[in-house]
Amino acid sequence: MSHLLSRRRLLRAALGSPLLGLCAGCPAKRPAAVVVYTSLDEPYARPVLEAFTRETGIPARPVYDTEANKSRGLAGAILAESARPRADVFWSSEVMQMLRLRREGVLEPYRAPAAADIPARYRDPEGYWTGFAARFRVLVYHRGQVSRPPQSLLELTAPRWRGRTAMANPLFGTTMTEAAALFQALGAARARDYYRKRVANEVRVVDGNSVAAEQTARGDVQVGQTDTDDAYVRVDQGRPLGVVFPDQAGIGALAIPNTAALVKNGPHPELGKRFLDYLLRPETELQLAGLPSRQVPVRAFDRPELAARLPENVRPLARVRRMNVDYPRLLDQYEEVDAFLRELFLQ
């Protein structure tokens, strides 16, 4: 019996050894990666992507947008690739292009369990996208040149600011979102009048919010419109910038949440869901709040107990008076706003 067992062991070894030799020579199979198209600036998105990979073991492959085309370029790519999507997740730094993709039918509804406590105003009613981690639209001014900064967007139409202000191209990114929000908050007639007066007042239109903030910091202009991330990164560097959250006595400052969604028919839908589960949880919002961009968890706006967990330099932002915006309906006037701005700023 022992002799028979020995022969069987030898036979198994003989049959198994060539296979083992073949497998040893095979390249290791790479784990599938979740593909994330994101318009959030790389210094702020990358730490989240890396933390996701460390925790889950799932590689994250990001595709970033350019500063001038913020979000619109990636949204266009997702539309162009709709017959054969390459992205699993779209992580947008604003709202308008996400709404556009929702309308075009290239997103897949997914309600991440971790996002159940995000206020309804920051979520698509049918689960196609979820908002989180907001930045604010702010005014920055050169402290060496301006002793009495404007306190409202509407003040920028005054003669004292003629030729002395800068803003990013309003056809893209958060400046476009701001325009749609102003049409909603002020009404179309007042919003049109505001932008016509800005053009007449010789506003300088530049390629991105960071450029508007940088030109203000250099003193090329006295006041710039930008986002809190581009403002505070320069303040933290000791640049001579003051920051104003506009319209605190009126319509309030515009909070613009990040938005995230599952791309329809993406190559790795289950990995996309895993990434959204991670991205939309409270801990990730707190991670973004701790970065130099100072993004504010949308959960913290109406919950003081959550605001108390924020870094000290971010807590005041949770108390800012916010513009009353119906985010899911910002697209209702998109065509009107886009056509008006094109005619006004591209003439």
Side-chain angles (χ1 to χ4, degrees):
M1 180 65 71
S2 61
H3 179 67
L4 181 60
L5 289 173
S6 178
R7 289 184 62 188
R8 287 176 178 170
R9 290 192 188 100
L10 287 171
L11 182 61
R12 283 199 298 268
L15 291 173
S17 57
L19 295 175
L20 289 172
L22 284 173
C23 289
C26 292
K29 185 178 179 181
R30 292 184 178 180
V34 60
V35 181
V36 181
Y37 283 14
T38 178
S39 62
L40 188 66
D41 290 343
E42 182 176 354
Y44 311 130
R46 183 174 12 90
V48 173
L49 294 163
E50 291 175 348
F52 167 77
T53 298
R54 284 195 303 270
E55 180 169 317
T56 65
I58 301 169
R61 186 178 303 152
V63 176
Y64 297 101
D65 217 337
T66 63
E67 173 68 18
N69 285 331
K70 275 303 181 189
S71 194
R72 193 163 189 158
L74 287 176
I78 291 171
L79 286 172
E81 297 164 2
S82 60
R84 191 176 180 181
R86 299 180 183 180
D88 299 303
V89 169
F90 183 37
W91 173 4
S92 177
S93 57
E94 49 91 41
V95 182
M96 290 299 293
Q97 296 309 316
M98 188 66 76
L99 296 176
R100 177 184 171 210
L101 295 181
R102 161 76 168 92
R103 181 187 64 186
E104 296 297 328
V106 296
L107 303 180
E108 187 75 25
Y110 176 63
R111 300 182 188 274
D117 62 339
I118 288 179
R121 68 186 300 179
Y122 302 111
R123 291 184 276 131
D124 179 76
E126 297 179 33
Y128 281 90
W129 56 265
T130 305
F132 63 105
R135 294 169 296 154
F136 278 96
R137 292 289 295 170
V138 293
L139 300 177
V140 291
Y141 63 95
H142 192 285
R143 289 189 283 105
Q145 298 182 12
V146 178
S147 58
R148 188 165 52 88
Q151 299 299 309
S152 168
L153 295 178
L154 302 181
E155 288 185 43
L156 300 178
T157 63
R160 68 181 289 230
W161 302 116
R162 181 178 296 275
R164 298 177 178 179
T165 68
M167 72 174 180
N169 191 327
L171 297 174
F172 303 101
T174 55
T175 319
M176 176 63 189
T177 305
E178 179 180 68
L182 287 176
F183 268 70
Q184 193 180 94
L186 298 175
R190 288 185 66 194
R192 286 172 181 269
D193 182 63
Y194 165 74
Y195 281 105
R196 289 192 184 104
K197 288 179 177 177
R198 291 298 306 281
V199 170
N201 220 28
E202 301 175 10
V203 60
R204 183 181 298 188
V205 178
V206 299
D207 288 334
N209 293 308
S210 65
V211 180
E214 181 62 26
Q215 290 196 2
T216 310
R218 292 201 308 254
D220 297 340
V221 294
Q222 293 184 346
V223 176
Q225 288 170 263
T226 190
D227 299 331
T228 40
D229 56 337
D230 289 310
Y232 283 125
V233 71
R234 288 166 176 78
V235 171
D236 292 343
Q237 292 170 351
R239 309 291 294 281
L241 280 185
V243 180
V244 173
F245 289 81
D247 295 288
Q248 293 303 282
I251 60 174
L254 176 61
I256 300 183
N258 284 260
T259 52
L262 199 65
V263 176
K264 188 175 183 178
N265 298 323
H268 312 104
E270 293 307 312
L271 296 186
K273 291 176 182 178
R274 287 283 301 277
F275 181 76
L276 288 175
D277 291 342
Y278 180 90
L279 186 65
L280 298 172
R281 64 185 190 173
E283 293 81 3
T284 305
E285 280 202 304
L286 288 171
Q287 181 184 6
L288 287 165
L291 296 174
S293 54
R294 303 189 196 182
Q295 299 183 62
V296 187
V298 296
R299 295 171 168 93
F301 282 135
D302 302 311
R303 295 172 63 181
E305 75 279 7
L306 293 181
R309 298 174 58 192
L310 296 175
E312 187 175 352
N313 62 354
V314 181
R315 288 175 203 163
L317 278 62
R319 299 191 294 270
V320 169
R321 180 184 178 90
R322 288 164 286 128
M323 191 182 297
N324 185 18
V325 176
D326 187 342
Y327 293 96
R329 298 195 63 183
L330 278 177
L331 198 64
D332 289 359
Q333 295 175 282
Y334 176 81
E335 302 298 339
E336 174 189 354
V337 176
D338 187 62
F340 169 72
L341 294 175
R342 286 180 179 277
E343 180 181 358
L344 185 63
F345 285 93
L346 298 181
Q347 61 183 348

